[in-house]
Amino acid sequence: MSVQIEDAVRDSAPRIGKGGAPPPRRGRGTGRAARSAPYLLLIPALAATAVFLGWPMVRNLIISFQNLNMKQLIQHLTEWRGFDNYAEILGGEQFWRVTLRTIVFTAVNVTLIMVLGVLIGLLLAKLGKKMRLTLSVALVLTWAMPAIAATTVFQWLFDARYGVVNWVLDALGWHSMARFDWVGSQLSTFFVITVLIVWQSLPFVALNLYAATTTIPKELYEAARMDGAGTWKVFTSVTFPFLKPFFLATTFLEVIWVFKAFPQIFAINEGGPDRLTETLPIYAFTEGVGNLHFGMGAAISLLTIVVLLAMTAYYLRLTLKQEEDEL
């Protein structure tokens, strides 16, 4: 009984801090300040996003409802069309052809990028230090090259008269390729663009994959080999499951990067020949800036964003569903 009384007295006694003074009490204001601190730190980033991304999007939305050509710009006229720009775009065949072409183009490029990038990343993990360093430097230099500079190099490589590719093919016996025009048809132009985009994208996937493989415990590989697993079995049972989040995130980023690719396609042949290699970004630029239909170009650009959001939402839905099935 006496022990219980002593405990009760001890609990009810005022607590004192260092030097006999009572400890400071945290008021409601201090707690609220601590909770709101992370949100206050986000204000500069949110403000920059609103100014440099949000406001241009709002202006683009406003322009998409207007009939804005050179006449309206010179005379400072505002002619509202409502949803007529969207109705004209969605009612025509050109938009749907370009949309399908863009989706197929994105799917082919992302598939090649991921497959080749994974293979190079796994090769980096197997090479010795010197060869790994050499290949890594080459990949970094490729990644660091500006898009327009890389496109200029590829224009020279695939030039019909002085290109190295045609010269090599002619020297190997394909004499019909001596003056082949690589940008003269739809398929050959897309081939050059695909090689360029895949070449530029491989370093990102390969280096990130190699960095991710260094986090896999070596004991897992040793256990798999002791069980008699071959190279493919080790990849499917150890490497791929461990790096699955990397594959999902990288594929998602590559879809966005390839879908909105503009400088490579425009610099190679400006969406030609006969606008057969136009993707949605090129289509929006051609209609808006090239043909001076700024209202139509703004509407196409917003529809491009909607298509990209739909693709990414579908991909995220599959990803989340797969994660739920695994749980």
Side-chain angles (χ1 to χ4, degrees), residues 105 109 189-197 264-265 268 277:
F105 173 77
N109 277 268
T189 303
F190 265 132
F191 174 79
V192 176
I193 296 171
T194 299
V195 173
L196 171 60
I197 290 180
Q264 299 91 339
I265 302 174
I268 287 292
T277 58

Side-chain angles (χ1 to χ4, degrees), residues 91-255:
E93 296 182 358
Q94 180 68 8
F95 174 78
W96 299 108
R97 282 199 298 265
V98 174
T99 301
L100 178 61
R101 183 187 304 148
T102 306
I103 294 175
V104 174
F105 173 77
T106 302
V108 172
N109 277 268
V110 171
T111 301
L112 292 174
I113 290 168
M114 292 305 299
V115 171
L116 296 177
V118 168
L119 292 176
I120 296 176
L122 295 176
L123 177 63
L124 283 171
K126 297 294 184 181
L127 292 176
K129 291 184 179 180
K130 293 183 179 179
M131 290 300 299
R132 184 187 301 125
L133 178 61
T134 302
L135 182 55
S136 298
V137 170
L139 291 172
V140 170
L141 292 177
T142 301
W143 180 251
M145 182 175 290
I148 294 299
T151 305
T152 303
V153 172
F154 269 72
Q155 285 177 319
W156 171 69
L157 289 174
F158 289 92
D159 184 74
R161 297 182 61 184
Y162 306 107
V164 175
V165 174
N166 285 355
W167 178 81
V168 171
L169 293 176
D170 181 36
L172 293 176
W174 286 284
H175 302 297
S176 60
M177 303 296 293
R179 291 183 177 272
F180 181 75
D181 186 7
W182 288 94
V183 295
S185 65
Q186 182 185 34
L187 291 178
S188 60
T189 303
F190 265 132
F191 174 79
V192 176
I193 296 171
T194 299
V195 173
L196 171 60
I197 290 180
V198 171
W199 178 76
Q200 288 183 300
S201 304
L202 285 178
F204 176 76
V205 179
L207 292 175
N208 280 321
L209 177 69
Y210 166 67
T213 57
T214 59
T215 64
I216 302 177
K218 296 182 179 180
E219 292 79 6
L220 298 178
Y221 288 111
E222 295 175 357
R225 293 190 181 93
M226 289 179 64
D227 292 338
T231 303
W232 176 250
K233 188 64 176 178
V234 169
F235 175 78
T236 56
S237 61
V238 178
T239 305
F240 184 79
F242 199 90
L243 301 181
K244 196 172 185 180
F246 161 81
F247 289 111
L248 296 176
T250 306
T251 303
F252 177 73
L253 294 175
E254 288 299 330
V255 167

